[in-house]
Amino acid sequence: GVADGEGLGSEAEIQDTASPEDSARATAVTVVQSDIPLTLTKTIAPDPVRPGEILQDTLTVRNRGTTDLTGVVLTDVVPGQVESLYYDADQTDGGDCPGSSCEPGEMIAWNLGTVFAGQSVTKQVRMRVLSGSSAPPDGTLIRNSARVFHPGEGFIALAETITRVCAAGGTA
C-alpha cells in the first residue's frame, strides 16, 4: 500500500507522428493523506498553447469532510514562461501577490477563510504566455503547481499541471 504523505505521480502523453506539434502531455501528482478532508484539483487549458495565448488555470478546493474548516489558504506559483500578473480581477480572481504584481516564480495567494463541509471553492487565473523574442521555444513544458493549507493541518494537498508550448506557425 501507499503510506500517508507519500506522493503518487502519473503522466500521460499523446504523440501524433504525422503532426508532432499536435502531441500533448499531462502530469498529475497526488499526495496520499487519507484522513485530510480538503482536496485540490487543478486544470489548465489550452494544451498545447502558443506564444502570446492566454492560459486559463482553474483550481478547486473541496472540503469532503463533515466539519467546517477555517483559515484555509490556496497558493499557485506563477510559471516562468508567462507575463507578470497584476492586481486585475480578470487575471487573479481576487488572489494576492507579494508586490504590485505577481512575477514569474512568485505565488498568488487566496485566503479562502472558512470552507464549509461539502463546499467547493473555485479560483481561476488567466496568464499570457510570453511572445516575440521572449517566447518559450517549441516543445517547452510549462509547469504550474498549487497548494492548499489549513492552519491545523499545515500543507494538505498539491496539484500540478504541465502544458506544452507549440511555436507560432505550428498547429496547437
Side-chain angles (χ1 to χ4, degrees):
V2 180
D4 274 359
E6 192 170 328
L8 294 175
S10 63
E11 187 171 302
E13 184 172 353
I14 299 172
Q15 292 190 351
D16 184 339
T17 55
S19 300
E21 65 275 1
D22 289 335
S23 299
R25 174 183 289 191
T27 299
V29 177
T30 302
V31 177
V32 176
Q33 295 188 324
S34 58
D35 60 339
I36 302 298
L38 287 175
T39 61
L40 174 59
T41 305
K42 180 174 175 55
T43 60
I44 199 158
D47 182 20
V49 64
R50 288 189 178 125
E53 284 188 328
I54 299 289
L55 282 172
Q56 178 77 39
D57 187 14
T58 303
L59 304 105
T60 302
V61 176
R62 182 169 187 266
N63 181 350
R64 59 187 172 115
T66 57
T67 305
D68 299 344
L69 297 174
T70 59
V72 177
V73 175
L74 172 65
T75 62
D76 191 26
V77 177
V78 178
Q81 299 85 359
V82 301
E83 295 176 1
S84 300
L85 303 177
Y86 296 93
Y87 288 117
D88 179 338
D90 286 342
Q91 283 191 309
T92 64
D93 199 4
D96 291 323
C97 301
S100 62
S101 65
C102 287
E103 301 298 324
E106 294 181 337
M107 284 193 291
I108 305 167
W110 294 268
N111 180 352
L112 302 180
T114 300
V115 180
F116 300 100
Q119 179 187 21
S120 292
V121 178
T122 299
K123 296 294 180 180
Q124 294 184 327
V125 180
R126 293 173 48 83
M127 303 171 279
R128 184 176 302 279
V129 176
L130 295 172
S131 60
S133 62
S134 299
D138 186 43
T140 298
L141 299 178
I142 299 175
R143 294 180 180 270
N144 184 240
S145 63
R147 294 180 184 206
V148 65
F149 299 85
H150 179 263
E153 303 292 338
F155 161 69
I156 294 178
L158 167 73
E160 182 178 74
T161 56
I162 297 177
T163 303
R164 188 180 60 77
V165 174
C166 177
T171 302

